Amino acid sequence: MKKTFLILFLIVLIAISSGCGKKKINQQPPQTEKINTVKVQIDSEPEGAFVLIDGMERGTTPFTCEVEAGKHTLTFLKENYYKVVKNPVNIDEDNRTFSAKLKKSDAFDIFLSQGGQSEIVFDSVPVLASFNCGGYFPYSGIFYGGTYTISGKANIDSFDIVFPSGKKVRFDIAKTGKFSKVVKFDETGSYKIVTSTGHTYVFGVDYKATILPPTPQIKDIFTKTYYKNAIAVPLGKDTEAKVLITDAANNAIKNKPLGVFGLKTDDRGIVKFRVKIARSIFNSTSTYKMYINGKLLPSAYANIYANLLAIPYGEAVFTKTGHIISSSIPEISTDIDTVPLDGDVYVPYNFFGGSGLDCWYGICDIKNPEIISPLKNPSVIYTSNSVSEDDGVHWRNTYFFQTIAADPEHPNIIYGYSFSNPFGIGALFKSEDYGKHFVPVFKPEGIIAQIAVNTKRVYLVTSNGLLVSEDGVKTLKPCDFNGGKAEFIAVNLTNPDELLVSSDKGVFRTTDNCKTFEKLAFPDNAGTVICMATNKNAEIIYAGTASALFVSENGGKTWKETGKFFIFGKESIAINPMHPNIVYVFDAKRGVYKSQDYGKHFSKIGFPINACNVGIAVNAKGELFANADCVPFKFENGNFVPMGKDTILRNGPLFKIINGKFYISVKSINLPDMRGIVNDREAAFYVVYPMTP
C-alpha cells in the first residue's frame, strides 16, 4: 500500500531564568544608527517568480524594493520551475538591478535534484536494472529481435550501447542534451551503456514471456495492480505456470534452454513449471523463500525470466458474520467484527493491522493533523492539507502543512509551514484567498513547530527560538523568551500584547509583546504542558499534559486538575468560542470528552476510529470538528461523520458510521495491492506481499 509516512516531533530550544515574577530585559534603550538602504529592481524570466531576500518574501517579479546595502541572498521561486539562488549578491549604489533566468522542470532535472546518480534518462527503453523495486529488478523492456527508438536526455557528451558480442552503437548528445537513434537488438544477453565520462550501466535483452491460461495472474485478483505479466502465487502453495516464449515479433522460440532454473521451451515455444513462495516473520521483519519445480533458489526475487514475475499474495476468508475460515495473512488471525448489510460486509477500517484512513484513501500521512475554523466566517474550515468554504460540503487540496493558523480578523488569510510543496522548500507559506494560492513568505534555517496568530501579530515557534511579526511576516524579530524548552503558545484575541508559552519549566505569560515574561502558578509536578486553549481574553486557560487536564479561571493565578486524560497532540483541546464553559478534550486512548461546566465534569463522546493524534476545533456556531489521518469529521446527531465524501474520500472504499464507529465496505476495497470480495456465503480479503530481500 502506498503510504507515505511523514512523522514530526518538534521541540524548540529556548531559555529563560526560572523563578516567579517578572524579569526586566533590555532596560537600556538600544542605540540607533542610520541604515543605508538601496532601491533595487528585481526581475526574472519568465516573470511571476516569488523572491526571498535573506529568507523573507519581498515581492513577485518584476518589482522594486528597498534593501539594506551589503551582501544578501536572493532566492527565486516559481511553481513548476527550479529555484535559483544567488548567494552572495552585493547590493550598493552601483549594483541595484538583479534578474534570474528560471529553468522549467522536467523529468531529468527532477531525477538529479532528488539525488539521482545516472547521467542519462531514457524516454522509455531501456529501463536500467540499477535499483530494486518491491523485491524485483525492472526488466529493460527490450526483447530479442525488436527494433526500438532509443531516446532521452543526458548531461554528457556521448555514450555507447555495447552488445554482448562487443558491437557498439554510438550516441552523440546534442547541445540541447537530447539524443535519439533507432537500434535493432539482435542478440540476447547482457548489454552495457558506457558513457564518455567512463561510467557503465547494464541492461538485459531476452525473449518475451507471455503467461498462458490457466495460470493465475495477479491482475485477475488485483484489478488495479502495478504488476504486469505476473503469476499470482498464494503464500505457501505450489502454483502451476504455463508460459509462451517468443521474440519481439511474437514468433515462438522452440526447444530453447532459457538459461535459468533449468527451464526449456517445448516444440511450441511453451515452458511449464511450478513456483512456490514461503514467507516467515521474525522481529517484525519478513523474509521469503522461492522454489522453482521444488528447488530452493539462492535468492527470492520476483523476477523469474525477462519480463515474467511471480508475486506472492495472502488471503483471508471469513464468514459474513466474521468467523475466520482460513488466513495466510498474519495481521488477520482472529475473528473479525463484521456487519452484513445490503449484500455487502462492513468491517472496522483498521481491521487489517491498524492502518490509518490516509492509507485507505491515499490522502497523506501527516502525523500532526490540525483543523481550524475562523471566528469571522464559520463556513470556512482549514485542515493540514485541505480547505472548505461551504461548511465542509466540498473540499479542495492545499499543500501538506505540518502546522497551520488562520488570521482571526481576516478568514481569507491562512498561514502554513510546509516542506512538501511545488517550490521544493521548507518554508512558511501565506494565502490571502482562502488557500487557493500560497506564496512563501519566510524560509527558516530550521523548522517551524507552531504558528499562532492574534489580531495584530503572527508568532512562530522555530528551531531557533520564538519569533514575532507585526506586518504579516514581511519582517520578523526574536521574542526574548528564556523559559526552557518551549512546547506550545496560545494567544489572547482581545489583547494582542499577551502571549502564553508552555515549556519544560512551566507556563509563562507576557503582556508587553515579549519584553518581559512571568511564570504562572502551574503545578510544578504536573509535567510539561503539551497544548493549551483559552477563551478570547485568556482568563480561562485549559492546559493538557500527557496524563491530565488542568484549568485556570483567573488567568493562570490558580489551577485545578479536572481529569485524567492521555493527551498526545497539540490540538487536543477545543473551547466553544461563544460559550467558554463548554470544552472538548481528545484522549488518545478513549476519544473525545465534553464538559459544560468549565471542566468540572466530563461525559464521553468517543470517536469513530482508533487514532492517538486527532486535532479538534469548535467554530463560532458551536459545531465540533476533528481531523484524523487527514480526514475531516463533524459531530452531528450524536456521531462524528466524515466530511468530503465526494472529494476527500472519493478514492477509497465505501464507508458507514455504525454504532459510532467507522466501517468500510469489503466489496469496495479495490487498491493496487489490496482487494475485497464478497459472495453469497462468505467474504475474502487479499493483499500483495512485495518481496524485498
Side-chain angles (χ1 to χ4, degrees), residues 316-335:
V317 181
F318 49 94
T319 66
K320 286 189 173 183
T321 57
H323 176 66
I324 288 289
I325 299 173
S326 64
S327 177
S328 59
I329 302 175
E331 295 86 352
I332 304 177
S333 57
T334 60
D335 291 350

Side-chain angles (χ1 to χ4, degrees), residues 8 61 104 128 134 149 157 206 268 278 293 309 321 366 380 386 444 457 474 486 536 546 548 562 584 628 651 678:
L8 192 59
T61 58
K104 187 79 171 178
L128 300 182
T149 298
D157 293 331
D206 290 303
R268 297 175 297 166
N293 291 330
L309 304 176
T321 57
I366 295 175
V380 176
S386 57
R457 298 182 177 90
K474 293 179 181 177
K536 286 184 178 181
T562 66
Y584 299 89
N651 294 322
V678 177

Side-chain angles (χ1 to χ4, degrees), residues 369-371 383-385 613-616 625-633:
E370 297 183 10
I371 188 166
T383 78
S384 304
N385 70 312
N613 193 359
V614 173
I616 58 174
F625 302 112
N627 181 8
D629 291 332
C630 294
V631 175
F633 289 81

Side-chain angles (χ1 to χ4, degrees), residues 179-201:
F179 60 86
S180 180
K181 185 173 288 189
V182 176
V183 180
K184 182 173 183 178
F185 293 87
D186 53 6
E187 301 177 19
T188 61
S190 180
Y191 285 65
K192 294 180 181 179
I193 295 173
V194 180
T195 71
S196 56
T197 57
H199 295 129
T200 299
Y201 308 94

